[in-house]
């Protein structure tokens, strides 16, 4: 399988500041997914990126997939207290481009926002 | 409402007493999966299923069993629970899109299991 490292492990920001978390892979990814888990909650699927250089936006969240499809980032503009949580970019098992449902989560990036 | 339902939400049991955590989805998803979440270890996949009667081991399958007799249900079975299986468990399901990619898992609300 592919190894995906997510950084930073923790991030503390003041409300209104921007936040970015990065996922870096040693091998080319077929796609990348992003999830958010609020404290005490369950992971929620945010988005999937598939194409090289793809950029997608969801309100204040901007997701990017690198040109080489080896890295991805999630950027939050002007954080709010509702952004608090853990952000994950799990890796897929790839056998000829298919994941077959095997999705491995790491520890993610834990974001805290101080009001 | 499209959802993944797991039961129970909370369970305290004793070592060695067999238990089953149920999971059901109403979205006609092909893929289903079980995860456990522990502090400092993130989410770890226990088992996953690609369709009815097709299951495979995840990263931490020891001590667990699953079955997929119907598309909507994917129960997690602990034949002889031990204290190291105390954890927060999540069931999830996903649609299969072309080329076998799982498009975004929908997670249940979780089951907090304590084994004493």
């Amino acid at each position: 399988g592919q190894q995906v490292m997510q950084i930073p492990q923790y991030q503390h920001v003041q409300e209104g500041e921007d936040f970015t978390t990065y996922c870096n892979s040693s091998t080319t990814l077929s796609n990348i997914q992003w999830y958010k888990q609020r404290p005490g909650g369950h992971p929620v699927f945010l988005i999937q990126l598939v194409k090289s250089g793809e950029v997608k936006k969801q309100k204040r969240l901007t997701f990017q997939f690198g040109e080489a499809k080896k890295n991805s980032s999630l950027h939050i503009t002007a954080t709010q207290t509702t952004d608090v949580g853990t952000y994950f970019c799990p890796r897929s098992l790839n056998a000829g481009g298919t994941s077959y449902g095997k999705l491995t989560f790491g520890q993610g990036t834990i974001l805290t926002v101080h009001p | 409402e499209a959802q993944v339902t797991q039961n129970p939400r909370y369970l305290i049991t004793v070592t060695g007493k067999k238990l089953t955590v149920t999971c059901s989805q109403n979205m006609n998803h092909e893929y289903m999966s079980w995860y456990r979440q522990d502090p400092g270890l993130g989410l770890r996949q226990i088992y996953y299923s690609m369709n009815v009667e097709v299951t495979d081991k995840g990263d931490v399958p020891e001590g667990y069993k699953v079955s997929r007799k119907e598309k909507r249900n994917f129960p997690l079975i602990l034949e002889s629970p031990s204290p190291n299986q105390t954890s927060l468990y999540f069931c999830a399901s996903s649609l299969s899109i072309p080329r076998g990619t799982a498009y975004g898992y929908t997670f249940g609300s979780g089951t907090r299991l304590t084994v004493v």
Side-chain angles (χ1 to χ4, degrees):
Chain A
Q2 302 156 340
Q3 300 296 322
V4 175
M5 300 297 295
Q6 189 171 356
I7 54 171
Q9 193 172 354
Y10 302 94
Q11 185 75 57
H12 311 281
V13 299
Q14 205 69 29
E15 189 173 22
E17 291 180 341
D18 291 358
F19 159 75
T20 304
T21 176
Y22 301 89
C23 283
N24 300 305
S25 172
S26 56
T27 57
T28 302
L29 302 167
S30 58
N31 63 75
I32 194 154
Q33 299 181 11
W34 286 92
Y35 291 76
K36 174 186 178 182
Q37 184 178 21
R38 292 177 188 251
H42 57 273
V44 174
F45 173 67
L46 295 177
I47 207 162
Q48 175 166 285
L49 304 175
V50 180
K51 298 177 183 176
S52 167
E54 190 169 15
V55 178
K56 287 189 175 180
K57 292 191 175 186
Q58 292 179 352
K59 298 183 181 179
R60 294 177 294 103
L61 277 60
T62 302
F63 303 86
Q64 290 189 314
F65 203 9
E67 293 290 342
K69 299 181 75 174
K70 287 187 174 183
N71 55 71
S72 181
S73 65
L74 159 58
H75 179 82
I76 302 178
T77 303
T79 55
Q80 300 175 359
T81 54
T82 53
D83 296 322
V84 165
T86 303
Y87 293 85
F88 297 97
C89 57
R91 64 179 170 90
S92 306
L93 171 71
N94 264 286
T98 53
S99 70
Y100 296 118
K102 188 176 191 333
L103 201 62
T104 300
F105 287 72
Q107 296 187 46
T109 294
I110 299 171
L111 173 65
T112 55
V113 180
H114 301 288
Chain B
E1 182 189 350
Q3 59 186 357
V4 176
T5 303
Q6 14 177 152
N7 283 295
R9 290 293 308 275
Y10 302 91
L11 179 61
I12 301 175
T13 190
V14 296
T15 299
K17 186 177 180 182
K18 180 180 179 179
L19 68 91
T20 299
V21 184
T22 64
C23 176
S24 179
Q25 51 95 4
N26 61 359
M27 296 167 281
N28 201 37
H29 284 170
E30 290 81 10
Y31 294 148
M32 296 189 75
S33 185
W34 276 103
Y35 288 88
R36 62 177 288 175
Q37 187 169 35
D38 304 286
L41 296 176
L43 279 158
R44 295 180 292 170
Q45 195 170 35
I46 303 171
Y47 270 95
Y48 61 102
S49 170
M50 293 148 271
N51 216 319
V52 176
E53 302 291 2
V54 183
T55 63
D56 205 352
K57 296 177 181 178
D59 298 311
V60 289
E62 295 78 21
Y64 304 95
K65 285 176 58 177
V66 293
S67 68
R68 188 94 182 269
K69 294 183 170 54
E70 306 163 284
K71 198 171 187 179
R72 63 183 292 125
N73 296 322
F74 191 45
L76 179 69
I77 303 156
L78 285 72
E79 294 271 3
S80 183
S82 62
N84 64 14
Q85 292 178 298
T86 292
S87 186
L88 177 58
Y89 291 86
F90 289 104
C91 180
S93 74
S94 169
L95 193 63
S96 166
I97 61 177
R99 294 191 297 125
T101 303
Y103 183 75
Y105 270 118
T106 299
F107 280 77
S109 298
T111 296
R112 187 165 291 282
L113 172 66
T114 302
V115 184
V116 298

